[in-house]
Amino acid sequence: MSTSTSLTGPSADPAARAGRQKLPLSPLLALAMAAFLTLLTEALPAGVLPEMAHDLSVGEPAMGQALTVYAIATGLAAIPLAKATAAWRRKRLLLTAVAAFAVANTVTALSASYPLTLVFRLFAGIAAAAVWSELVGYARRLAPPHLQGRAIAITLAGIPLALSLGIPLGTLLGALIGWRPTFALVTLVALALLGWIQVSVPDAPGQSPEHRRPILQALRLPGVAAILGVTAAYVLAHNILYTYIAAFLDAHAMSGARGSVLLVFGAASMVSVFITGALVDRRLRALTIVGTVLFIAASGLLAVMASSLFAVYAAMVLWGLGWGGVATLLQTAVTDAGGDRGQALFVTTCNTSIAGGGAIGGILLSALGPSSFPWTALALLAPVLIIVLAARTRAFPTERPTAR
């Protein structure tokens, strides 16, 4: 999708846009809510996994694939969906995606069939690919050039909001009223968002793809492969732990602490997002190293002190601080190295790794039990730290190219 297309309506006047000094908060917040809804729909099963597994008569490893199929669908659909919908009006695409979330979460809330649930999780994952492809470009079009960075930051605030409030709240509601009513409430959020977008967000025309360079050729650009390797291992380590965090806590007699543990993790993640946003332009390499070290420390605590609730909470703080800003860091790094093609490869790599975390975590849970998760994370994060430390010229340079 091109970010140069203009909006329709009053804001389409270039002179008006050039003279605008304030950000249009309502449409930007609607986009932030779309990010919130997308992440909440994706990750909510992690907090209610045992209950979903029981009601659908499957094991927890099988139920974990509800996250896996969502991520696979997002990763595989991103590029072909962008091509197929290139000529669509952007608002039509966004509304269609949000409506798809409403349908998918309604079916999930009502379904008594495990296969049917997985089908509509896949359907929601395809909708997520459409949302993620639109958010940043939409935010840039809504703002004058000198405020585009702030517009993007507001739009992406839906991510830490979902981590810090949405998912823990969903977990607590799942314990209080059941997982089915919780998914039904997410449907209501989607319906309200449809109305908000319709009223508040300006439209923009689509654009037919032309002069596209092969995306896979970006792998030959210096630094891109290293960044994608770091992305794959980091996201895989995170999702092995996060997808089955309920099973991990249950195994250590901490099932009652699920909601508060996820709340601590989400709050630390939000702090990390804001720190990263303030420093990424000047300290990308240092932040990536620090984030990796924090995640390694968290995994070490969970590996050797999982029976201590205090140690678990400490690990959640370290993990959240190490995880919250990683998407911004890695997306910035891959865009510096590979441009738009690098960004497309990042989306595919990230979502494939999310899917891999669910699949590999399920295998580990069946074969070795939940105590194997932090040790696996340590094994994945050690090479991440080595690559980041070594790739100081192209992938994670001391000074960013755009800052020179």
Side-chain angles (χ1 to χ4, degrees):
M1 146 187 123
S2 170
T3 58
S4 62
T5 52
S6 62
L7 298 167
T8 61
S11 60
D13 182 354
R17 293 189 71 235
R20 186 194 301 143
Q21 297 300 314
K22 294 183 179 180
L23 288 172
L25 285 180
S26 181
L28 288 173
L29 290 174
L31 295 178
M33 185 55 68
F36 175 90
L37 176 66
T38 302
L39 189 58
L40 180 62
T41 299
E42 177 176 8
L44 182 57
V48 292
L49 200 67
E51 292 79 10
M52 290 185 72
H54 178 268
D55 286 356
L56 296 177
S57 302
V58 296
E60 289 183 30
M63 200 64 247
Q65 305 321 303
L67 282 85
T68 303
V69 297
Y70 186 108
I72 288 176
T74 302
L76 295 182
I79 294 173
L81 187 64
K83 292 180 179 180
T85 60
W88 286 32
R89 310 269 325 166
R90 299 297 90 185
K91 188 170 180 177
R92 173 192 172 196
L93 178 59
L94 191 58
L95 287 170
T96 301
V98 174
F101 283 128
V103 172
N105 284 309
T106 298
V107 173
T108 301
L110 298 175
S111 173
S113 165
Y114 173 71
L116 180 64
T117 299
L118 288 191
V119 167
F120 277 85
R121 290 289 297 173
L122 186 148
F123 180 60
I126 295 173
V131 171
W132 291 130
S133 70
E134 287 300 306
L135 290 181
V136 171
Y138 232 131
R140 292 182 63 177
R141 288 195 298 269
L142 283 166
H146 68 288
L147 293 177
Q148 285 180 351
R150 192 176 302 173
I152 293 170
I154 291 172
T155 297
L156 297 184
I159 297 174
L161 184 63
L163 287 171
S164 63
L165 295 177
I167 295 169
L169 180 59
T171 302
L172 289 173
L173 285 173
L176 291 173
I177 64 175
W179 66 270
R180 293 184 185 277
T182 302
F183 272 96
L185 288 175
V186 178
T187 294
L188 295 180
V189 172
L191 293 175
L193 181 56
L194 282 173
W196 190 356
I197 292 172
Q198 182 63 46
V199 170
S200 177
V201 177
D203 198 1
Q207 186 177 32
S208 299
E210 58 183 11
H211 303 110
R212 292 180 180 269
R213 292 176 292 176
I215 291 176
L216 290 179
Q217 286 186 7
L219 288 170
R220 302 177 185 175
L221 298 174
V224 170
I227 297 165
L228 294 178
V230 166
T231 300
Y234 206 110
V235 174
L236 190 63
H238 168 78
N239 279 278
I240 288 172
L241 276 171
Y242 194 82
T243 302
Y244 297 98
I245 190 65
F248 182 85
L249 294 173
D250 289 356
H252 294 90
M254 299 178 189
S255 58
R258 281 189 217 162
S260 58
V261 163
L262 288 174
L263 182 62
V264 169
F265 170 80
S269 297
M270 181 172 280
V271 171
S272 178
V273 167
F274 287 122
I275 293 173
T276 301
L279 300 176
V280 62
D281 289 327
R282 293 174 286 118
R283 296 287 185 267
L284 187 148
R285 175 178 173 80
L287 288 171
T288 307
I289 293 171
V290 170
T292 305
V293 170
L294 289 173
F295 195 0
I296 288 173
S299 300
L301 273 177
L302 293 176
V304 301
M305 298 182 66
S307 59
S308 166
L309 184 59
F310 176 80
V312 169
Y313 279 120
M316 291 302 113
V317 173
L318 294 173
W319 181 10
L321 291 174
W323 171 255
V326 75
T328 300
L329 295 170
L330 296 178
Q331 283 182 295
T332 302
V334 80
T335 304
D336 285 348
D340 291 340
R341 292 182 295 163
Q343 179 66 25
L345 289 170
F346 174 86
V347 173
T348 299
T349 300
C350 189
N351 283 281
T352 301
S353 299
I354 292 172
I360 294 172
I363 294 171
L364 289 170
L365 183 60
S366 297
L368 300 174
S371 294
S372 64
F373 297 155
W375 293 106
T376 304
L378 285 171
L380 289 165
L381 292 169
V384 165
L385 184 59
I386 292 171
I387 293 171
V388 174
L389 290 172
R392 60 183 306 118
T393 303
R394 299 287 188 179
F396 301 97
T398 304
E399 184 179 2
R400 285 186 58 213
T402 55
R404 291 174 187 164

